[in-house]
Amino acid sequence: MDEDELRTRYSRPAFEAAVAAAAASLQDGGVPIGAALEKDGRLLATGHNQRVQHGDPTAHGEIDCLRQAGRIGSYAGTILHTTLAPCAMCAGAIVQFGITSVVAGENRTFDGELDWLRSRGVTVLMLGDDRCTELMRQFQQRFPRVWAEDIGALPAEPDGADR
Amino acid sequence: MDEDELRTRYSRPAFEAAVAAAAASLQDGGVPIGAALEKDGRLLATGHNQRVQHGDPTAHGEIDCLRQAGRIGSYAGTILHTTLAPCAMCAGAIVQFGITSVVAGENRTFDGELDWLRSRGVTVLMLGDDRCTELMRQFQQRFPRVWAEDIGALPAEPDGADR
């Protein structure tokens, strides 16, 4: 489906579940990026970044959500919601799993790989949700090194501060 | 470093650890793709695909290896070994984490995203290792549906056979 169709079809409660997961992660001192997987208006799973909580650098919000969903077989007809524009790893997961519709909260605090996703046939609906941006800004201000770590932007010799 | 330099620098024991992890996964009935993360000749972590063993669709070999390595900070100077050409998700993780050197066992049984990796500045050394190919061929013949599932190629309505 194209972006206009996705706008009319996506489940608002599924997106809200992603926002709630992001907010819960921030409450735990974690990276506030949440995700939700929807199919035909039904919420299959939610997840959020678990770098801080589980010490797992691969557990971005989208990856955690896909993990929580488990082995669902085909991803045809699913919509992946995420509070932030997907990074290269998460965009790659979307492409690899054959997820063709993504609803994203914002891309003001991180560009993500939207052009690449679209070049691979994925429809991306960008909501520009101020709550998602505010969660990220709070986090980036409080824990700039964890954020740098999460996007692979730490300097080569980190001093370990605030990890 | 370029491909020729990577060929002279990579740790053969690290690559062998990836092959051993792949073989161990097949012994468990799992997808036989292994990975290892090396820095300066030192093995930081190994991993293998855990889809079958942990029911985790995101646990490709490379992702499992990066998870096992934990929060190492910067990935500068690391080399990621993998027995099979990385898929889009794993290639995305490599790009996102700033890993710039990849040693891959083979790309006969799966194309992977080698062109995209290289377009993003990653040096990929392809070994063409027959053992890696043989592990994959055995698996693809025994469990074709699990393999289709692992690369996001299941038909839209799976019948659940051999999952």
Side-chain angles (χ1 to χ4, degrees), chain A residues 39 71-76, chain B residues 145-146 148-149 153-163:
Chain A
K39 185 168 184 175
R71 295 175 63 186
I72 67 167
S74 169
Y75 291 81
Chain B
R145 286 190 65 88
V146 181
E149 183 191 342
L154 274 186
E157 297 297 334
D159 61 11
D162 85 10
R163 290 179 67 188

Side-chain angles (χ1 to χ4, degrees), chain B residues 53-150:
Chain B
Q53 292 92 329
H54 292 176
D56 181 352
T58 69
H60 280 197
E62 300 91 322
I63 299 292
D64 185 52
C65 178
L66 293 169
R67 189 178 301 163
Q68 296 298 330
R71 295 174 64 185
I72 68 167
S74 169
Y75 292 80
T78 61
I79 300 171
L80 185 66
H81 300 256
T82 174
T83 56
L84 182 65
C87 81
M89 172 174 64
C90 298
I94 290 161
V95 167
Q96 190 61 43
F97 288 28
I99 298 169
T100 56
S101 298
V102 171
V103 175
E106 62 109 355
N107 65 337
R108 298 173 191 124
T109 64
F110 181 68
D111 289 339
E113 295 280 345
L114 304 185
D115 289 345
W116 183 69
L117 274 174
R118 288 171 172 140
S119 78
R120 298 294 292 255
V122 178
T123 300
V124 182
L125 175 63
M126 181 56 61
L127 298 180
D129 187 301
D130 291 338
R131 299 167 304 165
C132 299
T133 306
E134 182 54 29
L135 283 167
M136 284 305 299
R137 290 212 167 122
Q138 280 185 37
F139 182 80
Q140 289 170 334
Q141 281 169 16
R142 283 172 61 193
F143 304 106
R145 286 190 65 88
V146 181
W147 176 239
E149 183 191 342
D150 203 58

Side-chain angles (χ1 to χ4, degrees), chain A residues 19-93:
Chain A
V19 177
S25 184
L26 188 61
Q27 286 281 327
D28 294 338
V31 184
I33 305 172
L37 188 66
E38 168 200 345
K39 185 168 184 175
D40 302 328
R42 195 162 51 91
L43 183 64
L44 300 183
T46 63
H48 62 71
N49 188 300
Q50 302 278 7
R51 173 179 294 275
V52 171
Q53 292 92 329
H54 292 177
D56 181 352
T58 70
H60 280 195
E62 300 90 322
I63 300 292
D64 186 52
C65 178
L66 294 168
R67 188 179 302 162
Q68 296 298 331
R71 295 175 63 186
I72 67 167
S74 169
Y75 291 81
T78 60
I79 300 171
L80 184 66
H81 299 255
T82 174
T83 56
L84 182 65
C87 81
M89 172 174 64
C90 298

